[in-house]
Amino acid sequence: MPLGSIVGRRAHGLLGTHTRCSGATAGRLPSVLVNSVRLSFIGSGVPSVSIEVCNESGVAVDESLIVSVARYALDAMGVSPAVELAITAVTTEVMTELHERWMDEPGPTDVMAFPMDELAEDSRRPDAPDIGPALLGDVVLCPAFAKDQARKAGHGLADELYLLTVHGVLHLLGYDHGEPEQEREMFGLQNKLLADWHTSRAQAAAREAQHRSDSHVLGTVGLEDD
C-alpha cells in the first residue's frame, strides 16, 4: 500500500512560495485544480505553528481537523512554533504529475512530503530544540487516491487523511521507512501520535460537555454569572 514519498533537498519547497492557493500553482502544476480554498490557521493564546491548508482536490475535506492533527504532531515533537507548514490536497492528475516528476514513479500516490532545504540537513531533525524560524515544507495529500485505501483499511476517508497528514509531517521532520528499523520507528511514532491526538480530542469533547452541563445546572438554579 502506498504510504508516503519524501522528495530530496530542494531550495524552494514544492511551489517556491508560501502563497499557494487560488492560482498560485500556475506554471508548476497542471491547470486542473478546482474549488481552491485558502485557509490559514494560527493558534490563539499561545504561540503555535502557522499552518496553511489549500484544498484543490475537488473532494470535501475538513481542513480544521487536518490542521489539528498536524499541529498536534508538531507540538508533540517539540517543533518550534516559529515554523510554517503548508498542506495541499490535490487531484489524482496533479499527484500523478508530482509523483512522476519528483520521484520518477508512475501514477498517483497518497501523500508526498517536500521539506525545505534549510531544514533537511542529514544530521539534524527540525524538532531539535535550537531550531529557528523557518518554513518547514509542504505536505501534499491526494484524497481521491486515499479513498480506496481507507475502504481497504476499514475506516473512513477522514481517518485516512489524518494518518497521511501525520505521515507527511514525520517525513518533513526527517523520518523515513526505507529500512525495517526506520519503518518500525516511524510507524510506531505515527500510530502513537494519532492515538494520542484522538484521545486529546475525546478529552476535550468530554470537558466541553461537562462545561455545558454545569452551565445548564447553574443557570437553572440562578447561579450562573450574567
Side-chain angles (χ1 to χ4, degrees):
M1 179 182 75
L3 196 66
S5 299
I6 182 169
V7 177
R9 298 182 63 180
R10 299 190 301 114
H12 301 293
L14 172 59
L15 303 176
T17 172
H18 203 51
T19 305
R20 295 169 169 79
C21 302
S22 301
T25 54
R28 290 298 189 105
L29 301 177
S31 57
V32 297
L33 307 183
V34 294
N35 297 328
S36 177
V37 177
R38 177 172 180 165
L39 295 173
S40 294
F41 297 84
I42 302 178
S44 59
V46 295
S48 187
V49 175
S50 175
I51 302 175
E52 179 185 274
V53 174
C54 299
N55 184 8
E56 303 174 331
S57 69
V59 177
V61 172
D62 190 330
E63 290 92 350
S64 64
L65 289 179
I66 294 293
V67 168
S68 175
V69 72
R71 175 166 291 129
Y72 185 90
L74 292 168
D75 288 347
M77 296 301 295
V79 175
S80 167
V83 305
E84 297 180 348
L85 168 66
I87 302 174
T88 307
V90 300
T91 63
T92 53
E93 292 87 351
V94 170
M95 184 61 95
T96 295
E97 179 176 323
L98 292 173
H99 200 212
E100 293 176 350
R101 178 179 180 181
W102 296 107
M103 302 303 296
D104 198 25
E105 295 182 5
T109 188
D110 46 11
V111 58
M112 294 184 69
F114 295 80
M116 287 301 288
D117 198 47
E118 63 266 28
L119 295 183
E121 298 177 16
D122 294 337
S123 61
R124 176 182 177 189
R125 289 176 178 166
D127 51 334
D130 62 339
I131 194 68
L135 176 60
L136 185 63
D138 300 79
V139 172
V140 182
L141 306 171
C142 186
F145 186 88
K147 277 185 177 180
D148 186 54
Q149 293 186 166
R151 179 184 58 79
K152 292 177 180 177
H155 56 227
L157 173 61
D159 285 325
E160 187 71 11
L161 292 176
Y162 305 150
L163 182 153
L164 295 175
T165 297
V166 173
H167 190 86
V169 166
L170 288 178
H171 271 314
L172 293 183
L173 297 181
Y175 291 85
D176 206 352
H177 46 83
E179 300 294 334
E181 184 176 347
Q182 292 178 323
E183 181 175 332
R184 284 191 296 271
E185 179 187 19
M186 183 175 181
F187 281 59
L189 180 56
Q190 171 182 290
N191 293 339
K192 184 179 188 307
L193 289 170
L194 281 169
D196 290 349
W197 175 69
H198 281 296
T199 297
S200 72
R201 288 192 65 220
Q203 291 172 341
R207 288 193 298 269
E208 177 61 25
Q210 184 62 53
H211 176 73
R212 289 196 301 268
S213 176
D214 292 345
S215 296
H216 176 73
V217 171
L218 292 173
T220 300
V221 299
L223 297 177
E224 187 173 28
D225 293 336
D226 292 335

